[in-house]
Amino acid sequence: MQPDAPLLFFDSGIGGLSILGPTRALMPSAPIVYAADNAAFPYGTRSEGEIAARVPALLGRLVERVRPRLVTIACNTASTIALDHVRAALDVPVVGTVPAIKPAAELSATRVIGVLGTRATVRQPYVDDLAARFAGDCTVLRHGSADLVELAEARLRGEQVDPAAAVAAAQPLFDQPDGDKLDTVVLACTHFPLLADWLAHAHPQVRFIDGGQGIARRIAYLTKGQSWPDDAPPGRALFTAGIPPGMNTALAPFGITDLGSL
Ligand code: DGL
């Protein structure tokens, strides 16, 4: 393995930073390429067919271009729909991001857990399967929100965003029957940890969890013993529809200073 072979992170937008952040904390010298398919953002309002066709093709192009040692699909929507297709199409290890239902079920005392994701993610059979396998004795409430994705993206770009708008967008989860018994909510979209402080403030009785730390540990495990540069080179970001405004500010804290187009 070449020391400069990067870890590739992929999302529709900049939600994947909630996975990249914990990974960098664990692996500070890892070279990073972050790819955002902003041409098709948001994924959560697209059809299964579109995602299943688009994501493997795009990742194929990216892998040819950046030659990563490992690919992380830092997006629940793309992972729950297209992870198998991507793994079949690529000959590098692929880590997916899927809703953290298992840890949520392990933590819940009330046995009522929530899954807050995109509209596409919450209707996936993949989620039904996780709920049946790991939360069979729990009531699993779901809510899909496109507004939360937009709000997270805007907040990270440095725009003025009203915390009350995020709280209102999540409220239908809590308004369902048994919603008052929720004690653990899975943030099943990588954009949502970027709003977790506001949601937690509005719902102090609820634990909001996401897969970021676990995925970072998985990446470290899968690349253990490989050679790395002594110092991380500047991280790169690639966008499918040009560099959106505010990106330099959003990405610099993650060590990404080289921005370009795919
Ligand atoms: N960040 C993505 C996810 O985890 C997708 C958001 C979107 O593009 O709708 O699902």
Side-chain angles (χ1 to χ4, degrees), residues 11-13 15-16 41-45 74-78 118 121 149 188-191:
D11 183 29
S12 57
F41 175 87
Y43 276 4
T45 54
C75 173
N76 288 262
T77 310
T118 64
T121 295
V149 177
C189 168
T190 53
H191 280 77

Side-chain angles (χ1 to χ4, degrees), residues 1-225:
M1 183 63 62
Q2 293 297 318
D4 59 352
L7 298 173
L8 173 63
F9 292 82
F10 174 79
D11 183 29
S12 57
I14 46 180
L17 296 177
S18 68
I19 308 287
L20 174 58
T23 308
R24 282 190 79 234
L26 216 54
M27 308 172 68
S29 64
I32 300 296
V33 177
Y34 186 93
D37 185 12
N38 54 330
F41 175 87
Y43 276 4
T45 54
R46 293 187 180 274
S47 71
E48 282 72 4
E50 276 177 282
I51 303 289
R54 183 174 182 92
V55 172
L58 192 50
L59 278 169
R61 273 171 60 205
L62 274 161
V63 165
E64 264 186 30
R65 172 147 168 199
V66 307
R67 303 267 168 218
R69 66 181 74 207
L70 180 139
V71 173
T72 301
I73 306 180
C75 173
N76 288 262
T77 310
S79 300
T80 55
I81 295 172
L83 185 56
D84 290 343
H85 305 277
V86 171
R87 286 200 168 124
L90 301 184
D91 58 4
V92 287
V94 180
V95 174
T97 304
V98 300
I101 289 175
K102 184 171 185 250
E106 285 164 3
L107 289 166
S108 175
T110 60
R111 312 314 286 155
V112 182
I113 66 175
V115 178
L116 195 57
T118 64
R119 283 194 240 148
T121 295
V122 298
R123 66 171 181 252
Q124 290 314 307
Y126 200 116
V127 177
D128 301 338
D129 184 54
L130 289 174
R133 281 168 57 206
F134 300 117
D137 68 333
C138 292
T139 300
V140 182
L141 306 180
R142 306 180 193 191
H143 176 58
S145 170
D147 289 346
L148 279 173
V149 177
E150 298 284 355
L151 291 166
E153 193 91 0
R155 186 183 189 191
L156 218 75
R157 279 198 303 262
E159 290 169 23
Q160 200 69 35
V161 178
D162 183 0
V167 173
Q171 191 56 38
L173 179 71
F174 298 91
D175 290 342
Q176 298 175 39
D178 283 337
D180 56 332
K181 300 195 185 76
L182 282 164
D183 68 352
T184 311
V185 170
V186 180
L187 298 174
C189 168
T190 53
H191 280 77
F192 298 173
L194 309 168
L195 303 170
D197 52 342
W198 294 344
L199 299 176
H201 184 74
H203 299 280
Q205 78 288 6
V206 175
R207 192 190 277 114
F208 290 90
I209 66 168
D210 66 88
Q213 302 285 348
I215 291 166
R217 284 195 297 273
R218 179 85 188 137
I219 295 168
Y221 172 78
L222 289 173
T223 56
K224 208 170 155 195

